[in-house]
Amino acid sequence: MAEQRGRLKIGIVGFGSFAQFLAAAMRRQGHSLFATSRSDYSLQCSQMGIIFLRDAAELLEMEIEVVLICTSIVSLEQVLRSLPVHGCRRGPRLFVDVLSVKQHPRDLLLQSLPEEGDVLCTHPMFGPESGKHGWAGLPLVFERVRIREQGLCAEFLDIFRLEGCRMVEMPCEEHDRIAARSQFLTHTVGRVLSEMELEATPIDTKGFQALLQLRDNTTRDSLDLYLGLFRHNKFAMEELEKLEAAFQSVKKKLLEGVGNDAQARL
Ligand code: NAP
């Protein structure tokens, strides 16, 4: 259990499953949380000791220090456009996102937020399933994109540090290059397997069980999330094409092998 020392006033924008998972840890650490979302999460929020506000403008009036953006990748642009952050009297001092791609939110946050707001881009590289027994050793990737108030930024990052995350500071573009080869590839293989309607058998090997687990883990995430990993990571298309080429190459080797064996028997 992390040390109880929360002091931050955090406003969460987008209170879907991942935001709820993060918020539970932040509440355990004692931070004050406020949330707004397209759907009504007032019940979930009241059970978690979080104030839910239907209107993002009301959220910004709560004099929060940090805005934590947890919306889907594909809706980010629209959500930012409708967030009334300009001209706030005592607006938030730090804006943080947790999207699973990084260059896209980095660009949009810099374009659309007030110049006086600091920007921290993060990707907690785990979710409600992989992080259900704690976050120790799990990677938190981040880039201090525009940070003038180092203390506030460090205090926010401490949320993850206190949970034992492996803190990985990395430029957003580098994150996307690596994540296309790892996370996007993982999700794509999982989605391909799910097209095959595989089922457990009485003679499952460990390898096959791992495939079923991969399928289940990746399809548990929303289709919006998967679409976002593709549409908003400029390196994803290249990895998709490499996967397709690799499949064709293996298929060719198999078919050529079958032909050679038949010829050898003649
Ligand atoms: P998601 O499907 O990627 O996002 C769901 C969230 O987006 C909900 O808060 C939803 O609001 C909001 N949203 C979707 N369309 C919207 C629209 N048109 N207008 C306004 N809001 C909209 O699912 P998620 O798993 O909760 O992920 C949230 C974010 O965390 C994503 O950016 C994802 O990449 C990132 N992330 C997820 C994981 C994970 O393991 N799931 C891990 C790391 C990072 P309502 O619920 O109110 O409709």
Side-chain angles (χ1 to χ4, degrees):
M1 172 78 72
E3 186 189 333
Q4 300 275 318
R5 51 155 254 169
R7 278 173 291 171
L8 291 172
K9 267 180 103 175
I10 303 172
I12 300 178
V13 177
F15 203 64
S17 59
F18 189 61
Q20 292 170 35
F21 164 71
L22 291 180
M26 292 175 184
R27 285 295 297 138
R28 276 199 306 277
Q29 289 188 14
H31 297 287
S32 303
L33 299 189
F34 302 79
T36 189
S37 207
R38 178 181 58 172
S39 312
D40 183 3
Y41 289 105
S42 38
L43 185 61
Q44 289 88 333
C45 280
S46 73
Q47 287 164 350
M48 297 174 77
I50 297 171
I51 296 173
F52 184 77
L53 301 145
R54 283 315 312 255
D55 190 347
E58 288 176 39
L59 179 93
L60 295 170
E61 280 164 20
M62 304 307 291
E63 294 182 15
I64 48 182
E65 298 161 291
V66 182
V67 168
L68 183 63
I69 298 165
C70 298
T71 51
S72 65
I73 300 165
V74 288
S75 70
L76 178 67
E77 189 164 6
Q78 183 198 331
V79 169
L80 282 179
R81 235 185 284 125
S82 61
L83 207 59
V85 279
H86 290 272
C88 266
R89 268 182 307 118
R90 264 179 289 176
R93 285 137 52 204
L94 175 64
F95 292 85
V96 184
D97 87 283
V98 297
L99 273 61
S100 307
V101 294
K102 293 279 39 89
Q103 191 66 40
H104 174 66
R106 184 188 197 280
D107 293 345
L108 283 179
L109 291 174
L110 285 178
Q111 270 168 34
S112 51
L113 295 177
E115 166 60 27
E116 56 275 17
D118 282 2
V119 176
L120 172 70
C121 286
T122 76
H123 182 194
M125 300 204 63
F126 48 90
E129 188 57 31
S130 54
K132 69 180 170 195
H133 299 305
W135 304 356
L138 299 174
L140 184 275
V141 177
F142 66 98
E143 181 184 351
R144 294 172 224 253
V145 174
R146 184 173 69 201
I147 301 295
R148 286 150 298 198
E149 212 179 317
Q150 298 292 343
L152 182 59
C153 177
E155 227 179 305
F156 180 82
L157 288 172
D158 273 353
I159 293 171
F160 294 90
R161 212 183 297 277
L162 286 170
E163 297 291 329
C165 283
R166 187 155 52 83
M167 308 299 284
V168 184
E169 189 157 11
M170 173 184 288
C172 289
E173 184 170 14
E174 185 61 9
H175 164 279
D176 284 1
R177 187 192 309 279
I178 296 172
R181 289 226 84 173
S182 55
Q183 188 188 28
F184 172 68
L185 191 62
T186 308
H187 276 253
T188 300
V189 173
R191 294 267 165 189
V192 168
L193 292 174
S194 81
E195 293 286 315
M196 298 182 70
E197 293 171 11
L198 302 173
E199 279 175 22
T201 76
I203 53 167
D204 282 358
T205 59
K206 291 280 178 205
F208 184 66
Q209 285 171 354
L211 285 188
L212 293 182
Q213 203 177 1
L214 171 66
R215 176 202 60 188
D216 295 344
N217 286 346
T218 49
T219 50
R220 201 173 288 130
D221 282 329
S222 71
L223 185 60
D224 261 6
L225 193 153
Y226 180 54
L227 283 176
L229 293 181
F230 178 66
R231 283 196 199 146
H232 296 291
N233 182 341
K234 65 180 176 184
F235 302 106
M237 177 57 105
E238 193 183 332
E239 296 306 326
L240 190 64
E241 285 169 350
K242 281 185 188 159
L243 180 65
E244 196 175 8
F247 178 80
Q248 291 304 334
S249 163
V250 170
K251 187 176 174 188
K252 188 161 170 271
K253 282 180 193 154
L254 273 177
L255 295 178
E256 281 170 358
V258 171
N260 290 344
D261 282 355
Q263 271 176 349
R265 279 200 297 275
L266 288 177

